[in-house]
Amino acid sequence: MKICYLSVVQGHAEQVGQVFLVHEDEKRTLGRSSTSDFYIRDNLVSGLHCQVECKNGDFLVKDLLARNGVLVEGLPIDEHLLREGDRFRIGKTVVEFSLENGKKGRSGKSIDTSLVSHDEAAQRLSVTQSSPLQSSVPLGQLLSDKNDVQLAKLALVHGLLTHQQIREGLNIQKEMAEVKIRMSLAEIFEEREYLTAAQVKELLREQEYRKVRNKDVLFGRVAAANNLVPKEKVDEALALQQKMFEAGGGAEIPRLGELLVTQGLLTVQDSNRILKGIRETKDVL
């Protein structure tokens, strides 16, 4: 199985040298949100900033409508076929792509593999130069409605939409606005048959779940850090939430605090204290 290694070569001091692995049968998101697969400590990085995946045997990086975009050689891209030693910038963070674990990339610096969680050897892959799909500004800067951004972002994550279809949707939205008709991108994508009603419904459901999930992960970290609940119990409750979401069926998913209180692991008073503390901080969720 092919594996690529994403090494942080510039960014937060505590993250430089960290290596993320992506297998050819996976899609992995990078971002500042707790719901991203790989967490990036960078205030200029969006919650779900970009995605690395393998298509037809080649790995590529895809912009997920990040406000600051994904830059390759200084230019914003929609998606870019990755070659050995290629680098891409997200916010202030620079990530280097390699198919060889522990080898020196274009930076001349050995990749620190101390944080690599798999010990499978990477297979060398010859990749030809690609021309990034470029625009003058990141596509994410062209979307102003937060709900439009989140729905289109998740559609990109799941491969349901292309960047070009999103641009077409934005053009239609602009034309309709000129005649005083407001349409959401969801309505436009359905009308153009880019997405089915069922797909839109599921994307909206996932959007709401991710909002809750992001806050609950922070709640769990605070509870564990203050020794109110053992970390393993927090992880079990979060896993239960994930299982309930994946099961679907429309049932309401209980919040993490509610689960921990019901299981007798946390008092109502401590749960309220955690929520109050989170509200009073300026942590960006």
Short mmCIF file of all heavy atoms in Angstrom, two decimals, residues 15-68:
data_model
loop_
_atom_site.label_atom_id
_atom_site.label_comp_id
_atom_site.label_asym_id
_atom_site.label_seq_id
_atom_site.Cartn_x
_atom_site.Cartn_y
_atom_site.Cartn_z
N GLN A 15 5.39 22.16 16.57
CA GLN A 15 4.86 21.26 15.54
C GLN A 15 5.86 21.00 14.42
O GLN A 15 5.71 20.03 13.68
CB GLN A 15 3.56 21.84 14.97
CG GLN A 15 2.74 20.82 14.21
CD GLN A 15 1.27 21.20 14.14
OE1 GLN A 15 0.91 22.35 14.00
NE2 GLN A 15 0.41 20.19 14.22
N VAL A 16 6.87 21.85 14.29
CA VAL A 16 7.88 21.64 13.24
C VAL A 16 8.56 20.29 13.46
O VAL A 16 8.99 19.97 14.56
CB VAL A 16 8.93 22.77 13.24
CG1 VAL A 16 10.09 22.43 12.30
CG2 VAL A 16 8.29 24.09 12.83
N GLY A 17 8.65 19.50 12.41
CA GLY A 17 9.21 18.16 12.49
C GLY A 17 8.17 17.08 12.65
O GLY A 17 8.47 15.89 12.48
N GLN A 18 6.93 17.47 12.96
CA GLN A 18 5.87 16.47 13.08
C GLN A 18 5.53 15.90 11.71
O GLN A 18 5.59 16.59 10.70
CB GLN A 18 4.62 17.10 13.71
CG GLN A 18 3.54 16.09 14.04
CD GLN A 18 2.43 16.69 14.89
OE1 GLN A 18 2.47 17.86 15.24
NE2 GLN A 18 1.44 15.89 15.22
N VAL A 19 5.22 14.61 11.68
CA VAL A 19 4.92 13.93 10.43
C VAL A 19 3.54 13.30 10.49
O VAL A 19 3.19 12.63 11.45
CB VAL A 19 5.97 12.83 10.13
CG1 VAL A 19 5.62 12.09 8.83
CG2 VAL A 19 7.36 13.44 10.03
N PHE A 20 2.74 13.55 9.44
CA PHE A 20 1.42 12.94 9.31
C PHE A 20 1.47 11.93 8.17
O PHE A 20 2.11 12.17 7.14
CB PHE A 20 0.36 13.99 8.99
CG PHE A 20 0.29 15.11 10.00
CD1 PHE A 20 0.59 16.41 9.63
CD2 PHE A 20 -0.09 14.87 11.31
CE1 PHE A 20 0.51 17.45 10.54
CE2 PHE A 20 -0.17 15.90 12.23
CZ PHE A 20 0.13 17.20 11.85
N LEU A 21 0.80 10.81 8.35
CA LEU A 21 0.76 9.77 7.32
C LEU A 21 -0.61 9.71 6.66
O LEU A 21 -1.63 9.81 7.33
CB LEU A 21 1.06 8.39 7.94
CG LEU A 21 2.53 7.97 8.00
CD1 LEU A 21 3.28 8.85 8.98
CD2 LEU A 21 2.64 6.51 8.43
N VAL A 22 -0.60 9.51 5.35
CA VAL A 22 -1.84 9.30 4.60
C VAL A 22 -1.66 8.07 3.73
O VAL A 22 -0.75 8.02 2.90
CB VAL A 22 -2.20 10.52 3.72
CG1 VAL A 22 -3.55 10.27 3.02
CG2 VAL A 22 -2.25 11.80 4.53
N HIS A 23 -2.53 7.08 3.92
CA HIS A 23 -2.51 5.88 3.09
C HIS A 23 -3.32 6.14 1.82
O HIS A 23 -4.19 6.99 1.79
CB HIS A 23 -3.08 4.68 3.85
CG HIS A 23 -2.23 4.23 5.00
ND1 HIS A 23 -2.07 5.01 6.13
CD2 HIS A 23 -1.49 3.11 5.20
CE1 HIS A 23 -1.27 4.37 6.98
NE2 HIS A 23 -0.91 3.21 6.44
N GLU A 24 -3.06 5.36 0.79
CA GLU A 24 -3.69 5.60 -0.50
C GLU A 24 -5.21 5.41 -0.48
O GLU A 24 -5.91 5.94 -1.34
CB GLU A 24 -3.08 4.70 -1.57
CG GLU A 24 -3.30 3.22 -1.35
CD GLU A 24 -2.70 2.37 -2.46
OE1 GLU A 24 -2.58 2.89 -3.59
OE2 GLU A 24 -2.35 1.22 -2.20
N ASP A 25 -5.71 4.67 0.50
CA ASP A 25 -7.16 4.45 0.58
C ASP A 25 -7.83 5.41 1.56
O ASP A 25 -8.98 5.21 1.94
CB ASP A 25 -7.47 3.01 0.98
CG ASP A 25 -6.87 2.63 2.34
OD1 ASP A 25 -6.05 3.41 2.87
OD2 ASP A 25 -7.23 1.56 2.86
N GLU A 26 -7.11 6.49 1.96
CA GLU A 26 -7.65 7.43 2.93
C GLU A 26 -7.77 8.83 2.35
O GLU A 26 -7.08 9.19 1.39
CB GLU A 26 -6.72 7.51 4.15
CG GLU A 26 -6.55 6.22 4.91
CD GLU A 26 -5.52 6.35 6.01
OE1 GLU A 26 -4.54 7.12 5.84
OE2 GLU A 26 -5.70 5.68 7.05
N LYS A 27 -8.63 9.62 2.96
CA LYS A 27 -8.70 11.05 2.74
C LYS A 27 -8.49 11.69 4.11
O LYS A 27 -9.22 11.38 5.05
CB LYS A 27 -10.07 11.47 2.18
CG LYS A 27 -10.38 10.92 0.81
CD LYS A 27 -11.75 11.41 0.34
CE LYS A 27 -12.09 10.89 -1.04
NZ LYS A 27 -13.43 11.36 -1.50
N ARG A 28 -7.49 12.56 4.22
CA ARG A 28 -7.18 13.16 5.51
C ARG A 28 -7.22 14.68 5.44
O ARG A 28 -6.62 15.28 4.56
CB ARG A 28 -5.79 12.71 6.00
CG ARG A 28 -5.70 11.22 6.30
CD ARG A 28 -6.68 10.80 7.37
NE ARG A 28 -6.52 9.42 7.78
CZ ARG A 28 -7.45 8.71 8.34
NH1 ARG A 28 -8.64 9.23 8.56
NH2 ARG A 28 -7.23 7.46 8.72
N THR A 29 -7.95 15.27 6.39
CA THR A 29 -8.06 16.72 6.43
C THR A 29 -7.04 17.32 7.39
O THR A 29 -6.69 16.71 8.41
CB THR A 29 -9.47 17.16 6.87
OG1 THR A 29 -9.78 16.54 8.14
CG2 THR A 29 -10.51 16.75 5.84
N LEU A 30 -6.55 18.51 7.04
CA LEU A 30 -5.66 19.28 7.90
C LEU A 30 -6.38 20.56 8.28
O LEU A 30 -7.01 21.20 7.43
CB LEU A 30 -4.36 19.64 7.18
CG LEU A 30 -3.33 18.54 6.92
CD1 LEU A 30 -3.77 17.63 5.79
CD2 LEU A 30 -1.97 19.15 6.58
N GLY A 31 -6.31 20.95 9.55
CA GLY A 31 -6.97 22.17 9.96
C GLY A 31 -6.84 22.43 11.45
O GLY A 31 -6.23 21.65 12.19
N ARG A 32 -7.46 23.53 11.87
CA ARG A 32 -7.38 23.96 13.26
C ARG A 32 -8.52 23.41 14.11
O ARG A 32 -8.52 23.55 15.33
CB ARG A 32 -7.37 25.50 13.29
CG ARG A 32 -6.96 26.13 14.59
CD ARG A 32 -6.52 27.58 14.37
NE ARG A 32 -7.44 28.31 13.52
CZ ARG A 32 -8.49 29.01 13.95
NH1 ARG A 32 -8.74 29.05 15.24
NH2 ARG A 32 -9.26 29.64 13.11
N SER A 33 -9.49 22.79 13.46
CA SER A 33 -10.64 22.25 14.18
C SER A 33 -10.28 20.91 14.80
O SER A 33 -9.47 20.14 14.28
CB SER A 33 -11.82 22.06 13.22
OG SER A 33 -12.83 21.29 13.82
N SER A 34 -10.92 20.61 15.93
CA SER A 34 -10.73 19.31 16.57
C SER A 34 -11.36 18.20 15.74
O SER A 34 -11.11 17.02 15.99
CB SER A 34 -11.34 19.33 17.97
OG SER A 34 -12.71 19.66 17.92
N THR A 35 -12.17 18.54 14.74
CA THR A 35 -12.77 17.53 13.89
C THR A 35 -11.91 17.23 12.66
O THR A 35 -12.25 16.36 11.87
CB THR A 35 -14.18 17.95 13.42
OG1 THR A 35 -14.08 19.16 12.67
CG2 THR A 35 -15.12 18.15 14.60
N SER A 36 -10.80 17.96 12.49
CA SER A 36 -9.90 17.65 11.38
C SER A 36 -9.07 16.43 11.76
O SER A 36 -8.85 16.14 12.93
CB SER A 36 -8.99 18.84 11.06
OG SER A 36 -8.18 19.15 12.17
N ASP A 37 -8.59 15.71 10.74
CA ASP A 37 -7.80 14.51 11.02
C ASP A 37 -6.43 14.86 11.60
O ASP A 37 -5.93 14.19 12.49
CB ASP A 37 -7.63 13.68 9.74
CG ASP A 37 -8.95 13.15 9.21
OD1 ASP A 37 -9.70 12.54 10.01
OD2 ASP A 37 -9.24 13.36 8.03
N PHE A 38 -5.83 15.92 11.06
CA PHE A 38 -4.52 16.37 11.52
C PHE A 38 -4.63 17.81 12.00
O PHE A 38 -4.94 18.71 11.21
CB PHE A 38 -3.48 16.26 10.40
CG PHE A 38 -3.32 14.88 9.83
CD1 PHE A 38 -3.19 14.69 8.45
CD2 PHE A 38 -3.31 13.76 10.65
CE1 PHE A 38 -3.04 13.43 7.92
CE2 PHE A 38 -3.16 12.49 10.13
CZ PHE A 38 -3.02 12.32 8.77
N TYR A 39 -4.39 18.02 13.28
CA TYR A 39 -4.54 19.34 13.89
C TYR A 39 -3.32 20.20 13.59
O TYR A 39 -2.18 19.79 13.79
CB TYR A 39 -4.72 19.19 15.40
CG TYR A 39 -4.74 20.50 16.14
CD1 TYR A 39 -5.80 21.38 15.99
CD2 TYR A 39 -3.69 20.87 16.99
CE1 TYR A 39 -5.83 22.59 16.67
CE2 TYR A 39 -3.72 22.07 17.67
CZ TYR A 39 -4.79 22.93 17.51
OH TYR A 39 -4.80 24.12 18.18
N ILE A 40 -3.56 21.42 13.10
CA ILE A 40 -2.50 22.37 12.79
C ILE A 40 -2.60 23.56 13.74
O ILE A 40 -3.63 24.24 13.79
CB ILE A 40 -2.59 22.87 11.33
CG1 ILE A 40 -2.55 21.68 10.35
CG2 ILE A 40 -1.46 23.85 11.03
CD1 ILE A 40 -1.26 20.88 10.37
N ARG A 41 -1.54 23.83 14.47
CA ARG A 41 -1.52 24.93 15.44
C ARG A 41 -1.12 26.22 14.72
O ARG A 41 0.05 26.57 14.61
CB ARG A 41 -0.53 24.63 16.57
CG ARG A 41 -0.88 23.41 17.37
CD ARG A 41 0.04 23.22 18.55
NE ARG A 41 -0.09 24.31 19.51
CZ ARG A 41 0.54 24.33 20.69
NH1 ARG A 41 1.34 23.34 21.03
NH2 ARG A 41 0.37 25.34 21.51
N ASP A 42 -2.10 26.89 14.18
CA ASP A 42 -1.84 28.08 13.38
C ASP A 42 -3.14 28.88 13.29
O ASP A 42 -4.14 28.39 12.76
CB ASP A 42 -1.38 27.66 11.98
CG ASP A 42 -0.93 28.81 11.10
OD1 ASP A 42 -1.41 29.94 11.31
OD2 ASP A 42 -0.12 28.58 10.18
N ASN A 43 -3.12 30.11 13.80
CA ASN A 43 -4.34 30.92 13.81
C ASN A 43 -4.80 31.35 12.43
O ASN A 43 -5.93 31.82 12.27
CB ASN A 43 -4.13 32.17 14.69
CG ASN A 43 -4.07 31.83 16.17
OD1 ASN A 43 -4.62 30.82 16.60
ND2 ASN A 43 -3.40 32.67 16.95
N LEU A 44 -3.94 31.24 11.43
CA LEU A 44 -4.32 31.59 10.06
C LEU A 44 -4.85 30.39 9.28
O LEU A 44 -5.20 30.52 8.11
CB LEU A 44 -3.12 32.21 9.31
CG LEU A 44 -2.60 33.54 9.87
CD1 LEU A 44 -1.43 34.05 9.03
CD2 LEU A 44 -3.72 34.58 9.92
N VAL A 45 -4.92 29.26 9.94
CA VAL A 45 -5.44 28.04 9.32
C VAL A 45 -6.91 27.90 9.67
O VAL A 45 -7.31 28.12 10.82
CB VAL A 45 -4.63 26.81 9.78
CG1 VAL A 45 -5.34 25.51 9.42
CG2 VAL A 45 -3.24 26.84 9.17
N SER A 46 -7.73 27.51 8.70
CA SER A 46 -9.17 27.32 8.93
C SER A 46 -9.43 26.01 9.66
O SER A 46 -8.55 25.15 9.76
CB SER A 46 -9.92 27.32 7.59
OG SER A 46 -9.77 28.55 6.92
N GLY A 47 -10.66 25.87 10.16
CA GLY A 47 -11.03 24.65 10.88
C GLY A 47 -10.75 23.41 10.06
O GLY A 47 -10.06 22.48 10.50
N LEU A 48 -11.32 23.33 8.88
CA LEU A 48 -10.99 22.30 7.89
C LEU A 48 -10.35 23.04 6.73
O LEU A 48 -11.05 23.67 5.93
CB LEU A 48 -12.24 21.55 7.44
CG LEU A 48 -12.92 20.65 8.46
CD1 LEU A 48 -14.16 20.01 7.86
CD2 LEU A 48 -11.98 19.58 8.98
N HIS A 49 -9.04 23.02 6.64
CA HIS A 49 -8.34 23.89 5.69
C HIS A 49 -8.10 23.21 4.34
O HIS A 49 -8.36 23.80 3.30
CB HIS A 49 -6.99 24.31 6.29
CG HIS A 49 -6.38 25.51 5.62
ND1 HIS A 49 -6.38 26.76 6.18
CD2 HIS A 49 -5.76 25.64 4.41
CE1 HIS A 49 -5.78 27.62 5.36
NE2 HIS A 49 -5.40 26.95 4.28
N CYS A 50 -7.60 22.00 4.38
CA CYS A 50 -7.32 21.30 3.12
C CYS A 50 -7.41 19.80 3.35
O CYS A 50 -7.54 19.33 4.49
CB CYS A 50 -5.95 21.69 2.56
SG CYS A 50 -4.55 21.19 3.59
N GLN A 51 -7.33 19.06 2.27
CA GLN A 51 -7.43 17.61 2.33
C GLN A 51 -6.38 16.99 1.43
O GLN A 51 -6.14 17.48 0.32
CB GLN A 51 -8.82 17.16 1.90
CG GLN A 51 -9.06 15.65 1.92
CD GLN A 51 -10.52 15.32 1.77
OE1 GLN A 51 -11.29 15.38 2.73
NE2 GLN A 51 -10.94 14.96 0.58
N VAL A 52 -5.74 15.94 1.91
CA VAL A 52 -4.80 15.18 1.09
C VAL A 52 -5.40 13.81 0.83
O VAL A 52 -5.88 13.15 1.75
CB VAL A 52 -3.43 15.05 1.79
CG1 VAL A 52 -2.51 14.11 1.00
CG2 VAL A 52 -2.77 16.42 1.94
N GLU A 53 -5.41 13.42 -0.42
CA GLU A 53 -6.00 12.14 -0.81
C GLU A 53 -5.27 11.57 -1.99
O GLU A 53 -4.41 12.24 -2.60
CB GLU A 53 -7.48 12.32 -1.15
CG GLU A 53 -7.73 13.29 -2.29
CD GLU A 53 -9.21 13.56 -2.50
OE1 GLU A 53 -9.74 14.49 -1.87
OE2 GLU A 53 -9.82 12.84 -3.32
N CYS A 54 -5.57 10.33 -2.32
CA CYS A 54 -4.94 9.66 -3.45
C CYS A 54 -5.97 9.37 -4.53
O CYS A 54 -7.04 8.82 -4.24
CB CYS A 54 -4.29 8.36 -2.98
SG CYS A 54 -3.26 7.54 -4.22
N LYS A 55 -5.68 9.81 -5.75
CA LYS A 55 -6.55 9.55 -6.89
C LYS A 55 -5.74 8.92 -8.01
O LYS A 55 -4.71 9.46 -8.41
CB LYS A 55 -7.19 10.85 -7.40
CG LYS A 55 -8.32 11.38 -6.54
CD LYS A 55 -8.97 12.59 -7.20
CE LYS A 55 -10.12 13.14 -6.37
NZ LYS A 55 -10.73 14.33 -7.03
N ASN A 56 -6.21 7.79 -8.49
CA ASN A 56 -5.54 7.09 -9.59
C ASN A 56 -4.05 6.88 -9.31
O ASN A 56 -3.20 7.00 -10.21
CB ASN A 56 -5.71 7.88 -10.89
CG ASN A 56 -7.17 8.08 -11.26
OD1 ASN A 56 -7.98 7.17 -11.14
ND2 ASN A 56 -7.52 9.29 -11.70
N GLY A 57 -3.73 6.58 -8.06
CA GLY A 57 -2.35 6.28 -7.70
C GLY A 57 -1.49 7.46 -7.36
O GLY A 57 -0.33 7.30 -6.98
N ASP A 58 -2.03 8.68 -7.50
CA ASP A 58 -1.26 9.89 -7.19
C ASP A 58 -1.89 10.63 -6.02
O ASP A 58 -3.11 10.74 -5.92
CB ASP A 58 -1.22 10.83 -8.40
CG ASP A 58 -0.42 10.25 -9.56
OD1 ASP A 58 0.44 9.39 -9.31
OD2 ASP A 58 -0.67 10.66 -10.72
N PHE A 59 -1.06 11.18 -5.16
CA PHE A 59 -1.55 11.98 -4.04
C PHE A 59 -1.72 13.43 -4.47
O PHE A 59 -0.94 13.96 -5.28
CB PHE A 59 -0.58 11.92 -2.87
CG PHE A 59 -0.61 10.62 -2.13
CD1 PHE A 59 0.30 9.61 -2.44
CD2 PHE A 59 -1.55 10.38 -1.13
CE1 PHE A 59 0.27 8.40 -1.76
CE2 PHE A 59 -1.59 9.17 -0.45
CZ PHE A 59 -0.68 8.18 -0.77
N LEU A 60 -2.75 14.07 -3.95
CA LEU A 60 -2.97 15.48 -4.25
C LEU A 60 -3.46 16.20 -3.00
O LEU A 60 -4.00 15.59 -2.08
CB LEU A 60 -3.96 15.66 -5.41
CG LEU A 60 -5.37 15.09 -5.28
CD1 LEU A 60 -6.31 16.07 -4.57
CD2 LEU A 60 -5.94 14.76 -6.65
N VAL A 61 -3.27 17.51 -2.98
CA VAL A 61 -3.79 18.35 -1.91
C VAL A 61 -4.92 19.18 -2.47
O VAL A 61 -4.84 19.71 -3.59
CB VAL A 61 -2.68 19.25 -1.29
CG1 VAL A 61 -2.03 20.16 -2.33
CG2 VAL A 61 -3.24 20.06 -0.13
N LYS A 62 -6.00 19.28 -1.73
CA LYS A 62 -7.21 19.97 -2.17
C LYS A 62 -7.58 21.07 -1.18
O LYS A 62 -7.67 20.82 0.03
CB LYS A 62 -8.36 18.97 -2.29
CG LYS A 62 -9.71 19.57 -2.68
CD LYS A 62 -10.85 18.59 -2.44
CE LYS A 62 -10.76 17.38 -3.31
NZ LYS A 62 -11.97 16.50 -3.11
N ASP A 63 -7.80 22.27 -1.68
CA ASP A 63 -8.26 23.37 -0.83
C ASP A 63 -9.71 23.12 -0.44
O ASP A 63 -10.54 22.76 -1.28
CB ASP A 63 -8.14 24.69 -1.61
CG ASP A 63 -8.77 25.86 -0.87
OD1 ASP A 63 -8.57 25.96 0.35
OD2 ASP A 63 -9.47 26.67 -1.51
N LEU A 64 -10.02 23.35 0.84
CA LEU A 64 -11.39 23.17 1.33
C LEU A 64 -12.02 24.52 1.65
O LEU A 64 -12.60 24.72 2.72
CB LEU A 64 -11.40 22.26 2.57
CG LEU A 64 -10.96 20.81 2.34
CD1 LEU A 64 -10.98 20.04 3.64
CD2 LEU A 64 -11.83 20.13 1.28
N LEU A 65 -11.89 25.45 0.71
CA LEU A 65 -12.50 26.77 0.83
C LEU A 65 -11.94 27.53 2.03
O LEU A 65 -12.66 28.30 2.68
CB LEU A 65 -14.03 26.68 0.90
CG LEU A 65 -14.70 25.90 -0.23
CD1 LEU A 65 -16.21 25.88 -0.02
CD2 LEU A 65 -14.34 26.47 -1.59
N ALA A 66 -10.68 27.30 2.33
CA ALA A 66 -10.03 28.01 3.43
C ALA A 66 -9.91 29.49 3.08
O ALA A 66 -9.61 29.85 1.93
CB ALA A 66 -8.64 27.43 3.69
N ARG A 67 -10.15 30.33 4.06
CA ARG A 67 -10.10 31.78 3.84
C ARG A 67 -8.75 32.22 3.28
O ARG A 67 -8.68 33.06 2.38
CB ARG A 67 -10.38 32.51 5.16
CG ARG A 67 -10.37 34.02 5.06
CD ARG A 67 -11.57 34.53 4.35
NE ARG A 67 -11.56 35.98 4.22
CZ ARG A 67 -12.45 36.67 3.52
NH1 ARG A 67 -13.43 36.03 2.89
NH2 ARG A 67 -12.38 37.98 3.44
N ASN A 68 -7.68 31.63 3.78
CA ASN A 68 -6.34 32.00 3.33
C ASN A 68 -5.79 31.06 2.26
O ASN A 68 -4.65 31.20 1.83
CB ASN A 68 -5.38 32.06 4.52
CG ASN A 68 -5.72 33.21 5.45
OD1 ASN A 68 -5.99 34.32 5.00
ND2 ASN A 68 -5.72 32.95 6.75
#
